[in-house]
Structures are given as C-alpha cells and as structure tokens.
C-alpha cells in the first residue's frame, strides 16, 4: 500500500456500508402499474426537476437493517435517499444506489411490491472497487452514475455466453472425466483473473436467483475490500480457497 493510499479515508454511506456504485436495470412491461405502486408508497418521492423517483429510508423502508439503521441516523438528516428510479423509456427503468447492500435490499423490498410481470430486474452494472478521500475532503455523491456506467468498455457477462464457452470446451474431449477436468480447470483459471473495474451481470429474481445474486455481490465486495487493504493480487480464486479451507470437516466431526 502506498503512502498516499494510507492517508485516504474509506468513503462510506450514512448507513455505514462502503460506497460502491451500482445500477439495476428493470425491463418494464406496464409503466402505469409501476407508477401506481410508486405513488402509493410513502417512502417514494418524485422530483420533477430531475424526473426521478427517490427511494427514501423512511416509512415502509424503515425496517431495512444497515450497519447504521434508521434509529441511529440523526433526525436532522432524515429521511436519506437509498437510491432513485428513473425511466429511460417506457420499457426500461433503472435503480441507482450507492452500495451492493442497497442493491440486495432494493431487490427484496420492491420484489414484494412490484409485480415482476410489470417490471422485472434483468441486469446489474457494478463498480468493483472502493473509494477514498483525504481527511480534509468532504465526499460529495455524484448527480448520476453516468461516469461509471455510460461507457463503451464495460465488461458484460451472460449465462448464455458462459454456457457457450463451456460447451466449446466440452466438445474437445471424449470422456466425462476429461470434460469435467477441462471445465474445472477453465473455471479455476477464470477465478484467478482480477475482476473488471466495471462489469454488467445478468439478474433473475426467480427461484434461487436472489440468493445467488447476494452471494455473488458479497464475494465481489470482499475482493474490492482486500484490494483496498493493500492485497492487490487477491482474486475470487483466493476467496474460494479460503472458504474451502474453513469449511467444517464433516467426515471427522462427531455424529
């Protein structure tokens, strides 16, 4: 870690978690229904000037638990925005938030209020790094996350692309054992690559989709945290190995 980095303070949100921008994309099939839900929620407030619906840490959202939860936030600072929704067009809506935890909590909160047939999250763009500022600076949130996500160099991942890559590998071998070994080696090599600074991943809220998303974001955040701590070469492979080493040995445990 350089001398400059050691002098930086980690930028955190007022709710306690590190600042880490994310943009969730919703496919909208019924904008009128979505607006009807927003209008009924007391924790939602529309600002005409910016044409955004702000999701406030208030009313229905007060039960969400953060490191600094609702009652720990000074009254003069309430309500704080957890994020904001904006319609790009009638078919596309985004939710921009300032941490990975807010992504997960946002999906959970609106999943029970927005019928997925009216609006469904399908993609998520994230920044895989943490941010710092000097002790003399006062961090200022950006007006939008365009500088992060409206770029041409964002790495995009999709289950379909990964499946195609794996099928290509499998086609090169004959036995099941050879295929399994080749796929395992391929996935291991991928996990040794550092995460891109900005990437876009597929999202689903069906079946185990939310649990998978929560685990993926937690693992990506851990890598960003390790890098912030000075462990610049830490990758998902290192995290997976650490998790495996710390798994309980069921064979030797008492029955």
């Amino acid at each position: 870690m350089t001398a400059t980095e050691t002098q930086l303070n980690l930028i955190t949100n007022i709710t306690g978690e590190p600042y880490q921008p994310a943009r969730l994309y919703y496919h909208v099939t019924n904008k009128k229904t979505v607006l009807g839900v927003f209008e009924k929620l007391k924790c939602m407030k529309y600002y005409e000037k910016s044409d955004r619906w702000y999701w406030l840490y208030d009313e229905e959202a007060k039960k969400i638990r953060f490191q600094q939860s609702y009652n720990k936030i000074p009254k003069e600072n309430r309500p704080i925005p957890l994020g904001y929704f904006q319609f790009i067009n009638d078919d596309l809506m985004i939710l921009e938030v300032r941490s990975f935890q807010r992504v997960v909590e946002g999906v959970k909160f609106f999943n029970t209020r927005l019928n997925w047939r009216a609006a469904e999250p399908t993609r998520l763009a994230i920044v895989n790094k943490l941010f710092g500022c000097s002790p003399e600076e006062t961090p200022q949130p950006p007006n939008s996350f365009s500088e992060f996500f409206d770029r041409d160099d964002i790495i995009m991942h999709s289950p379909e692309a990964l499946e195609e890559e794996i099928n290509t590998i499998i086609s090169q071998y004959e036995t099941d054992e050879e295929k399994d070994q080749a796929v395992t080696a391929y996935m291991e090599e991928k996990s040794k690559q550092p995460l891109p600074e900005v990437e876009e991943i597929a999202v689903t809220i069906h079946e185990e989709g939310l649990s998978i998303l929560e685990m993926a974001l937690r693992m990506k955040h851990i890598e960003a945290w390790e890098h912030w701590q000075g462990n610049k070469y830490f990758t998902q492979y290192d995290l997976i190995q650490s998790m495996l080493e710390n798994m309980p040995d069921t064979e030797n445990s008492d029955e």
Side-chain angles (χ1 to χ4, degrees), residues 48 57 75 99 108 113 148 187 218 220 239 244:
E48 185 174 0
Y57 197 17
K75 291 182 179 180
S99 74
K108 290 179 180 178
R113 293 166 172 85
F148 301 114
M187 297 304 294
R218 184 177 298 118
K220 292 174 187 293
L239 175 57
L244 291 174

Side-chain angles (χ1 to χ4, degrees), residues 18-85:
Y19 171 78
Q20 206 167 359
R23 176 190 283 177
L24 187 64
Y25 294 86
Y26 280 78
H27 174 61
V28 179
T29 53
N30 194 324
K31 183 178 178 180
K32 183 178 179 180
T33 297
V34 175
L35 290 175
V37 171
F38 287 173
E39 289 168 355
K40 290 179 181 178
L41 287 170
K42 296 178 180 178
C43 64
M44 298 293 292
K45 187 173 182 179
Y46 178 68
Y47 286 85
E48 185 174 0
K49 184 176 180 180
S50 59
D51 192 25
R52 296 171 178 170
W53 282 89
Y54 277 81
W55 177 36
L56 305 177
Y57 197 17
D58 200 13
E59 298 293 345
E60 302 95 339
K62 287 195 297 186
K63 294 181 180 180
I64 299 175
R65 304 293 294 179
F66 293 98
Q67 183 176 335
Q68 294 291 327
S69 289
Y70 181 83
N71 291 330
K72 295 182 180 180
I73 297 173
K75 291 182 179 180
E76 60 270 20
N77 293 338
R78 301 178 197 161
I80 65 164
L82 293 175
Y84 59 80
F85 287 88

Side-chain angles (χ1 to χ4, degrees), residues 162 165-167 169-170 173 175-193 237 240-241 244:
L162 179 59
E165 291 172 359
I166 291 176
N167 286 336
I169 294 171
I170 289 175
Y173 299 89
T175 70
D176 289 342
E177 183 179 358
E178 289 175 328
K179 293 176 181 180
D180 289 342
Q181 290 176 349
V183 171
T184 299
Y186 172 72
M187 297 304 294
E188 180 177 305
E189 189 60 33
K190 281 181 69 74
S191 70
K192 291 180 179 179
Q193 303 302 314
Y237 176 80
I240 293 170
Q241 294 306 305
L244 291 174

Side-chain angles (χ1 to χ4, degrees), residues 53-196:
W53 282 89
Y54 277 81
W55 177 36
L56 305 177
Y57 197 17
D58 200 13
E59 298 293 345
E60 302 95 339
K62 287 195 297 186
K63 294 181 180 180
I64 299 175
R65 304 293 294 179
F66 293 98
Q67 183 176 335
Q68 294 291 327
S69 289
Y70 181 83
N71 291 330
K72 295 182 180 180
I73 297 173
K75 291 182 179 180
E76 60 270 20
N77 293 338
R78 301 178 197 161
I80 65 164
L82 293 175
Y84 59 80
F85 287 88
Q86 189 169 23
F87 284 92
I88 306 304
N89 53 53
D90 289 346
D91 303 321
L92 179 62
M93 176 178 72
I94 61 173
L95 168 62
E96 294 192 332
V97 294
R98 302 179 67 197
S99 74
F100 286 5
Q101 184 181 356
R102 292 186 185 186
V103 172
V104 174
E105 298 297 347
V107 172
K108 290 179 180 178
F109 183 85
F110 290 99
N111 188 35
T112 60
R113 293 166 172 85
L114 271 179
N115 189 312
W116 66 268
R117 291 182 175 85
E120 180 178 15
T122 57
R123 298 180 291 131
L124 175 66
I126 53 177
V127 178
N128 289 312
K129 64 176 290 188
L130 301 181
F131 295 81
C133 64
S134 68
E136 297 78 22
E137 290 181 290
T138 301
Q140 295 296 327
N143 291 325
S144 76
F145 292 151
S146 296
E147 62 184 278
F148 301 114
F149 304 127
D150 293 340
R151 296 162 40 177
D152 297 327
D153 60 342
I154 295 177
I155 304 298
M156 297 188 181
H157 303 285
S158 71
E160 294 79 14
L162 179 59
E163 183 179 2
E164 185 176 340
E165 291 172 359
I166 291 176
N167 286 336
T168 299
I169 294 171
I170 289 175
S171 66
Q172 301 173 28
Y173 299 89
E174 294 184 0
T175 70
D176 289 342
E177 183 179 358
E178 289 175 328
K179 293 176 181 180
D180 289 342
Q181 290 176 349
V183 171
T184 299
Y186 172 72
M187 297 304 294
E188 180 177 305
E189 189 60 33
K190 281 181 69 74
S191 70
K192 291 180 179 179
Q193 303 302 314
L195 293 173

